[in-house]
Amino acid sequence: MRILITGGAGFIGSHIVDHYVAAGDEVIVIDSLITGCKDNIADHLRSGNIKFIERDVCRFDTIADEIDVIMHLASPASPFDYLRYPIETMRTLSLGTYNMLELSRQKSAKFLLASTSEVYGDPEEHPQKEDYWGNVNPVGPRAVYDEGKRFAEALTAAYSREHNVETTIVRIFNTYGERMKEEDGRVIPTFINQALKNEPLTIFGDGKQTRSFCYISDMVDALAGSVKIKYGHPINVGNPKEYTMLEVADIVKKLCLSTSGLEFLPLPENDPKRRKPDISKAQEVLGWTPKVDLNAGLIRTIEWFRRKDD
Ligand code: NAD
């Protein structure tokens, strides 16, 4: 199989690249490196296992190679990144997604959209099921990402209806693991790096808001499984076990053997209070359930951050 992965030099994308290279598939990566990094795929670049195209998906139209599958992950993903690159994020999710859907149509390739739990916004239903339409402020600062992904989903659904492109939309919930950037602003890498330096862990609001965290190997299994099935509707993928930020801070501090205290800061605008996937659809159509619990995933992630700075 020949698979094109946009955003393949990013956190999740690079683990997907590892997966398909290990399976003996032909991998092409398109990445502008706006938030990703060549180090994430350095082994494959050295061994010539993959074809790497450094390019913005907004400026990409076609390629000579035949393609069986396009996994479209390109997009700034952390709030820190999409607030720093608001227009680039909206261009990528609109024009970039259009270009990749056109390429899927040309090549008769299956198209997978890496969507997000952010399409649910600050949800009024809990846990979130795929048929919940969300609660998003269309003009708030986070809208560049939330509405951008909602547009990308709508465009993907339109290509499926109008052009019979075989599509899958996966709504990814918080995922963590090795290769996250220390400065990316998401809670797990932030807490780990603060704890390893014995600096105060930053808590926004009172720390009672909840999130659920999926370890990267479980996410790779779910995304690779989603490519194999024919299912045109969105699928939630994430770990449903819910933790408050205070609980996560406590676990990270213990695992890092840290003496850090806590620092409380105001909650950012439109920050969701609760986020937890209902994964019954993924269990039914993918036969998938996350296997790695937070403790085990954090031990591996902390070990990676420790070694990185050696
Ligand atoms: P990341 O920032 O590490 O990776 C994104 C990659 O896309 C980077 O390598 C970046 O350089 C590339 N990219 C961005 N815009 C591009 C463009 N216009 N052209 C080409 N390349 C471009 O983020 P990630 O956490 O690995 O997220 C990957 C995908 O998964 C994103 O689409 C994101 O929205 C989605 N997602 C991630 C999470 C999570 O918890 N990590 C949660 C929900 C959704």
Side-chain angles (χ1 to χ4, degrees):
M1 175 170 86
R2 189 174 292 132
I3 180 158
L4 188 154
I5 302 168
T6 76
F11 159 52
I12 298 182
S14 63
H15 287 274
I16 300 275
V17 171
D18 292 349
H19 170 88
Y20 284 107
V21 169
D25 292 306
E26 284 184 56
V27 176
I28 302 172
V29 169
I30 305 177
D31 200 301
S32 64
L33 303 178
I34 186 172
T35 59
C37 167
K38 271 190 185 171
D39 285 353
N40 289 339
I41 47 171
D43 290 349
H44 305 305
L45 293 175
R46 255 194 305 275
S47 61
N49 274 337
I50 62 170
K51 181 168 174 177
F52 177 67
I53 303 170
E54 185 175 334
R55 186 94 50 85
D56 186 332
V57 285
C58 303
R59 295 178 203 284
F60 191 90
D61 50 9
T62 196
I63 186 169
D65 310 66
E66 288 311 308
I67 309 279
D68 301 300
V69 174
I70 297 179
M71 292 178 87
H72 182 41
L73 287 97
S75 167
S78 78
F80 181 78
D81 285 335
Y82 62 71
L83 295 175
R84 187 161 48 139
Y85 300 116
I87 310 296
E88 291 86 343
T89 300
M90 293 212 82
R91 271 174 57 81
T92 301
L93 293 172
S94 52
L95 186 54
T97 302
Y98 167 79
N99 286 344
M100 292 305 111
L101 280 162
E102 270 299 308
L103 190 61
S104 289
R105 179 159 84 106
Q106 266 177 37
K107 303 286 180 186
S108 302
K110 166 140 201 186
F111 181 85
L112 179 139
L113 175 70
S115 187
T116 170
S117 54
E118 300 285 339
V119 299
Y120 300 120
D122 188 1
E124 288 156 327
E125 277 185 21
H126 201 75
Q128 293 83 52
K129 280 199 165 91
E130 289 85 348
D131 57 8
Y132 175 52
W133 292 351
N135 175 36
V136 175
N137 172 0
V139 292
R142 301 172 71 105
V144 295
Y145 184 67
D146 302 5
E147 294 289 19
K149 287 283 184 183
R150 288 165 70 96
F151 176 88
E153 286 200 7
L155 194 61
T156 302
Y159 265 75
S160 162
R161 278 192 297 266
E162 291 298 306
H163 296 308
N164 284 321
V165 173
E166 197 188 326
T167 60
T168 300
I169 295 171
V170 180
R171 293 187 180 146
I172 300 174
F173 282 66
N174 278 350
T175 301
Y176 71 99
E178 300 88 318
R179 300 190 193 142
M180 290 189 97
K181 287 181 296 184
E182 179 176 337
E183 71 286 3
D184 107 351
R186 284 178 279 194
V187 63
I188 299 280
T190 305
F191 278 179
I192 291 176
N193 285 291
Q194 290 170 331
L196 289 177
K197 292 179 192 149
N198 293 314
E199 290 171 358
L201 272 56
T202 321
I203 306 266
F204 294 102
D206 61 6
K208 291 190 182 134
Q209 69 275 35
T210 68
R211 295 290 185 277
S212 59
F213 300 96
C214 184
Y215 184 62
I216 184 66
S217 59
D218 283 328
M219 184 53 59
V220 170
D221 288 348
L223 291 169
S226 306
V227 166
K228 290 190 196 143
I229 57 157
K230 272 186 186 270
Y231 183 75
H233 307 286
I235 310 171
N236 287 339
V237 171
N239 192 319
K241 178 96 175 63
E242 230 176 333
Y243 294 88
T244 66
M245 293 303 100
L246 291 172
E247 287 169 329
V248 179
D250 196 46
I251 299 171
V252 170
K253 275 179 20 174
K254 282 192 181 122
L255 291 176
C256 291
L257 306 173
S258 173
T259 56
S260 297
L262 301 179
E263 182 186 18
F264 290 86
L265 294 177
L267 208 55
E269 197 177 334
N270 303 134
D271 196 53
K273 287 171 269 316
R274 294 182 79 185
R275 192 60 82 50
K276 165 183 161 146
D278 179 317
I279 59 164
S280 39
K281 190 61 76 190
Q283 287 169 322
E284 179 195 327
V285 299
L286 300 176
W288 172 90
T289 259
K291 298 190 193 86
V292 183
D293 69 23
L294 186 62
N295 239 51
L298 280 176
I299 289 170
R300 293 182 212 173
T301 310
I302 291 167
E303 185 49 33
W304 182 82
F305 273 106
R306 272 192 211 279
R307 270 189 286 118
K308 188 169 83 67
D309 295 328
D310 285 348

